[in-house]
Amino acid sequence: ILHKICKTPYDIAQMDSLRFSIFSITKNLCDKYLKGDVLEIGAGGDYLKKEFKSKYDEWISLDYDLRSNSIDLRGDGQQLPLKDGVFDTIISVDVLEHVPNPEKFVSEMFRAVKPGGIVILSTPFFFYLHEEPHDYFRFSKYGLRTIFERNGLSVIDVIPTGGVIGILGLLISIFITKK
């Protein structure tokens, strides 16, 4: 809704500390690692493609739901309709918790990324149920590391977002809005 009324990703990120933290960390990681051919799984409004248009050669936006006119492929991250080892960078922001088989999702990313490629992924650890009934999992940093390593991906870093202040703000907003 906010994208439709012409709010920028930065405007949306300013609305709460958790979104701002996720946006800031994702932006920093993309500034550092984004290159070459990119696949974004769960592209939604496709704002990252627009934000980083000068940093990639080709960008394929994939989502199960065509929420935006700029999505390139409709598909499921658990069964990517793509060849092996094609992408330099794969991005997936806040999708993994909505996937019934996260292990398969990660193995598909491993299959689609080039050797030496980068996967940038975020998923909430502490967050209210959303997009119900398709909100299945929460992962600790150890759980994420285990799933990735078990599927052949080396983990460079796991960066927590939000912190205590973000969690308190989230709890207050849930209390106010979810009565």
Side-chain angles (χ1 to χ4, degrees):
I1 292 170
L2 294 171
H3 285 291
K4 287 179 183 175
I5 61 171
C6 299
K7 290 290 184 186
T8 68
Y10 186 76
D11 292 337
I12 295 167
Q14 296 294 316
M15 293 180 177
D16 69 58
S17 62
L18 189 58
R19 283 191 203 344
F20 182 75
S21 181
I22 293 165
F23 178 81
S24 298
I25 290 170
T26 302
K27 184 177 182 326
N28 291 340
L29 291 171
C30 286
D31 282 336
K32 184 174 182 177
Y33 294 111
L34 192 85
K35 65 179 180 184
D37 294 332
V38 177
L39 170 64
E40 183 180 7
I41 303 172
D46 222 13
Y47 72 88
L48 288 175
K49 181 178 187 176
K50 296 167 191 159
E51 179 81 16
F52 294 101
K53 58 185 163 201
S54 66
K55 295 192 63 88
Y56 60 86
D57 297 329
E58 185 173 351
W59 188 294
I60 302 295
S61 303
L62 180 134
D63 207 309
Y64 74 94
D65 181 17
L66 298 177
R67 299 180 224 180
S68 166
N69 294 335
S70 59
I71 297 295
D72 301 304
L73 283 174
R74 182 181 179 145
D76 182 343
Q78 299 167 107
Q79 295 178 322
L80 294 173
L82 303 160
K83 294 180 182 177
D84 296 358
V86 212
F87 297 97
D88 299 290
T89 310
I90 296 179
I91 302 171
S92 183
V93 178
D94 296 345
V95 173
L96 190 63
E97 71 272 18
H98 301 292
V99 176
N101 188 341
E103 193 92 21
K104 179 67 176 150
F105 183 85
V106 173
S107 74
E108 280 292 279
M109 285 192 289
F110 177 71
R111 183 185 64 75
V113 74
K114 289 179 182 175
I118 294 286
V119 172
I120 299 169
L121 178 132
S122 75
T123 188
F125 176 66
F126 185 86
F127 204 69
Y128 58 88
L129 289 174
H130 58 287
E131 294 189 34
E132 293 178 63
H134 304 289
D135 189 353
Y136 305 111
F137 298 100
R138 298 296 183 267
F139 300 91
S140 71
K141 64 182 180 179
Y142 307 107
L144 286 172
R145 186 175 295 276
T146 298
I147 288 174
F148 271 73
E149 289 174 350
R150 209 168 30 214
N151 283 281
L153 292 156
S154 299
V155 177
I156 296 171
D157 205 354
V158 177
I159 304 166
T161 57
V164 173
I165 301 298
I167 290 171
L168 288 174
L170 179 64
L171 288 172
I172 291 168
S173 70
I174 291 170
F175 178 75
I176 292 169
T177 61
K178 302 287 181 188
K179 286 186 175 184

